[in-house]
Amino acid sequence: MVKKQQQEEKIVENNKGRFKKRYSLLTVVIVGLLTLLIGSGTVFFIMDQRLTAAQRTNKSMAKIEAVYSTLYNNYYRHVSRQKLENGALSGMVNALGDPFSEYMSKSETQSLNDTISSSFTGIGAEVRKNGDKIQIVSPIDGTPAAKAGLKANDVIEKINGKSMNGVSLSKAVSYIRGKKGTKVTLTIKRNSETFTKTLVRDTIPVKTVTGKLDKEHPTVGYLRVSTFSEKTAAEFKSEIKQLRKQGAKSFVIDMRDNPGGLMDQALAMSSMFLKDGKTIMQVQSRDQAPQVFKAGKKYDDGFKVNEKSVVLINGGSASAAEIFSGALKQSANIKLIGTKSYGKGTVQNTVPFNDKTELKVTIAKWLTPDGSWIHHKGLQPTVKKDFPSYAYQTAIDTTKTYQQGDVSAQVKKIQVLLNALDYGQIKANGYFDATTQGSLKKFQSDNKLQTTGKADKATIEKLEEKTATKIAASDDAYQTAVQEVK
């Protein structure tokens, strides 16, 4: 439209002086009056709309100001202006009912910036506020949270015995974080079960991409992407190059338990696998047509991955991890192996303030290349493969010791793990019988524990540790992926 208008103006300019048509003064006056009336009517309509909107805003702000003033001056005890201000800002954002939009305090803002720059100390789990609850989005691979078996959608009910119900996200994060090597105890609710885990705080890996060759099939390169931070695409490219030098002819890209991150990194990495011009994703803002993002040198600098590849996903793969996975599946016909992804189909942006706080707000929804919105739905894998069922068993409560004669759901969990580790064929019915005791004694003896036949904290932790090792070796999704690309 702009180009056409410029062409028309150029034609008029070129024809000046060529056509010298005379108009009467009356014609000029009439046309001028009509133009003025039409123009002023249009301006009046627009100004009227703006005036109405301004009046509504002023009315709302007057009410907010009245509530603020009443609370500050008349509440039965003193309340700080800062607390009221933060409450008002948070309240407006919470009214959206969007767990991904939030007003962030200084500490929350710093926490987000640390995550983006991928350099911080803590337990290694992305958390969010969901109503009055603190919920885990996804643990980061190789961190204390991941090693403890925390999973996406776990609710943190207590931290060091303190209830997190109604506590702000910044407060929860401040309780979780601390010096490296110190301990923090979390009470976790997963579905209908509640359990506790004590984690040792550690430095969260700065590197977001790790790579290696498969031991049995050294031409298969494996890349694990833990999150999408500022340098993830560069790290990914570097790992691909290194694996190629080592002999990799195909790749397995692991996006499991990747909570997402920066969209530009997902665009750059996706473009590496797509032919130029192929759609990576679409972003649709309010009342706007979708903006289409296509693969090209703009994103990948001409670096392409043409080797056969597959992507691993699960319920902890969210946001940018889903952008990447969806793009490869729909625009490059690359298979997804695993279980259904998390389902976060919105885009957030931050608005910084001078006091180092920020407003994180959902500004658009993103769509897969074919225009699908996966929000709350997730991406379905091409090939469904999962860990054994015992991998999803909730942690055992280590605050108690279990012995022969006990009957409980916790005993049943112990029996399931003993069976998984091939310590007899025990009936996993929750009754601690003589067979269970015998199997437990054998396990304790094999692992140089006190052979008491009782499941104390040390025994339970060793059971879970050994089971985690076996789970890692029983990764059907990974094994299927290797067979697919080898």
Side-chain angles (χ1 to χ4, degrees):
M1 178 65 75
V2 173
K3 189 175 182 181
K4 183 179 178 182
Q5 185 178 352
Q6 289 173 341
Q7 289 173 339
E8 290 173 347
E9 288 173 352
K10 189 174 182 180
I11 292 169
V12 171
E13 185 67 29
N14 290 339
N15 286 331
K16 277 185 177 179
R18 188 177 299 176
F19 301 101
K20 295 183 179 179
K21 189 171 182 180
R22 298 178 182 276
Y23 296 96
S24 68
L25 179 61
L26 180 60
T27 303
V28 173
V29 171
I30 292 172
V31 171
L33 284 171
L34 286 172
T35 304
L36 179 62
L37 289 170
I38 294 169
S40 62
T42 305
V43 171
F44 176 79
F45 175 70
I46 294 171
M47 288 183 66
D48 183 59
Q49 279 188 320
R50 291 176 179 173
L51 182 61
T52 302
Q55 288 173 336
R56 289 172 180 168
T57 301
N58 289 338
K59 187 177 180 180
S60 297
M61 294 308 295
K63 190 173 183 179
I64 291 170
E65 187 177 345
V67 172
Y68 174 90
S69 180
T70 300
L71 294 177
Y72 182 74
N73 293 305
N74 299 97
Y75 187 60
Y76 81 101
R77 60 184 180 187
H78 178 73
V79 58
S80 71
R81 292 184 182 275
Q82 188 67 52
K83 187 173 184 178
L84 290 175
E85 179 186 320
N86 289 343
L89 294 169
S90 297
M92 281 191 286
V93 179
N94 291 340
L96 300 173
D98 176 13
F100 302 107
S101 293
E102 58 180 318
Y103 170 70
M104 299 183 294
S105 65
K106 288 181 182 179
S107 60
E108 288 170 333
T109 299
Q110 185 60 50
S111 176
L112 177 63
N113 292 336
D114 286 345
T115 302
I116 289 172
S117 63
S118 62
S119 57
F120 54 96
T121 302
I123 65 169
E126 181 183 351
V127 294
R128 68 183 176 97
K129 187 82 171 173
N130 188 4
D132 287 334
K133 307 293 184 183
I134 303 297
Q135 189 176 48
I136 293 175
V137 174
S138 183
I140 298 172
D141 189 52
T143 63
K147 291 175 182 176
L150 301 186
K151 298 184 181 298
N153 297 317
D154 281 351
V155 173
I156 302 175
E157 291 204 322
K158 296 179 182 179
I159 300 176
N160 291 332
K162 182 177 179 62
S163 173
M164 292 296 104
N165 190 47
V167 172
S168 69
L169 190 61
S170 60
K171 278 284 186 185
V173 170
S174 69
Y175 292 140
I176 292 172
R177 291 194 173 183
K179 292 182 179 179
K180 179 180 177 179
T182 58
K183 294 181 179 180
V184 59
T185 300
L186 307 181
T187 301
I188 302 294
K189 184 173 183 180
R190 182 179 299 164
N191 299 323
S192 60
E193 295 190 72
T194 302
F195 57 93
T196 60
K197 277 288 182 181
T198 299
L199 291 76
V200 179
R201 298 180 178 99
D202 200 357
T203 301
I204 306 308
V206 174
K207 192 173 182 181
T208 60
V209 184
T210 55
K212 64 181 180 180
L213 295 178
D214 184 81
K215 291 181 180 179
E216 295 182 9
H217 306 282
T219 60
V220 177
Y222 169 80
L223 295 106
R224 166 73 183 137
V225 185
S226 62
T227 187
F228 285 80
S229 298
E230 289 175 343
K231 299 178 181 178
T232 300
E235 290 177 13
F236 188 79
K237 181 178 178 180
S238 177
E239 286 294 337
I240 289 282
K241 288 181 175 180
Q242 288 297 321
L243 290 172
R244 281 173 173 169
K245 288 179 181 178
Q246 295 170 26
K249 303 297 182 184
S250 58
F251 298 106
V252 174
I253 301 111
D254 196 344
M255 287 285 164
R256 292 177 296 184
D257 294 320
N258 183 320
L262 299 176
M263 191 178 89
D264 66 331
Q265 301 298 299
L267 289 169
M269 287 169 56
S270 300
S271 186
M272 295 176 191
F273 292 83
L274 274 56
K275 291 181 180 179
D276 289 353
K278 285 286 189 178
T279 299
I280 301 172
M281 66 181 296
Q282 303 179 50
V283 175
Q284 187 171 21
S285 302
R286 185 174 70 182
D287 302 327
Q288 299 292 322
Q291 180 184 1
V292 180
F293 293 81
K294 296 185 177 182
K297 196 172 182 180
K298 173 183 177 182
Y299 298 114
D300 58 39
D301 292 325
F303 180 82
K304 294 292 184 181
V305 181
N306 296 313
E307 293 91 341
K308 189 171 184 180
S309 303
V310 295
V311 180
L312 299 175
I313 61 169
N314 68 358
S317 306
S319 190
E322 292 174 299
I323 291 173
F324 175 85
S325 303
L328 268 60
K329 181 183 182 182
Q330 293 184 7
S331 291
N333 200 29
I334 289 174
K335 290 183 179 180
L336 306 183
I337 297 176
T339 57
K340 187 180 74 171
S341 66
Y342 183 85
K344 179 181 179 292
T346 54
V347 179
Q348 284 71 41
N349 203 352
T350 56
V351 180
F353 299 107
N354 292 332
D355 60 357
K356 296 183 180 179
T357 62
E358 286 185 352
L359 172 65
K360 185 174 75 170
V361 60
T362 298
I363 58 169
K365 60 183 182 181
W366 70 265
L367 313 173
T368 58
D370 68 2
S372 300
W373 193 35
I374 65 159
H375 202 54
H376 298 313
K377 299 175 184 176
L379 290 166
Q380 292 291 344
T382 314
V383 180
K384 188 174 182 180
K385 288 290 178 180
D386 206 351
F387 289 104
S389 58
Y390 57 80
Y392 295 98
Q393 176 173 280
T394 53
I396 301 166
D397 186 355
T398 57
T399 60
K400 298 178 182 178
T401 296
Y402 310 93
Q403 57 189 342
Q404 188 174 353
D406 288 348
V407 180
S408 71
Q410 302 302 314
V411 171
K412 182 177 180 179
K413 292 179 185 180
I414 294 168
Q415 292 169 330
V416 168
L417 297 191
L418 286 169
N419 283 334
L421 295 171
D422 299 319
Y423 281 90
Q425 291 299 314
I426 309 164
K427 286 185 179 179
N429 55 11
Y431 173 57
F432 201 128
D433 58 10
T435 305
T436 303
Q437 185 185 54
S439 295
L440 194 63
K441 281 185 176 181
K442 179 69 167 62
F443 174 80
Q444 289 172 328
S445 176
D446 289 349
N447 289 277
K448 299 179 180 179
L449 298 167
Q450 284 188 314
T451 313
T452 61
K454 297 179 181 180
D456 57 7
K457 181 179 180 181
T459 301
I460 291 169
E461 289 180 345
K462 181 60 72 173
L463 267 172
E464 292 180 334
E465 178 189 325
K466 290 291 184 180
T467 305
T469 302
K470 183 169 183 179
I471 289 169
S474 306
D475 191 345
D476 288 346
Y478 173 72
Q479 295 302 329
T480 301
V482 171
Q483 293 301 317
E484 182 69 30
V485 301
K486 73 173 185 177

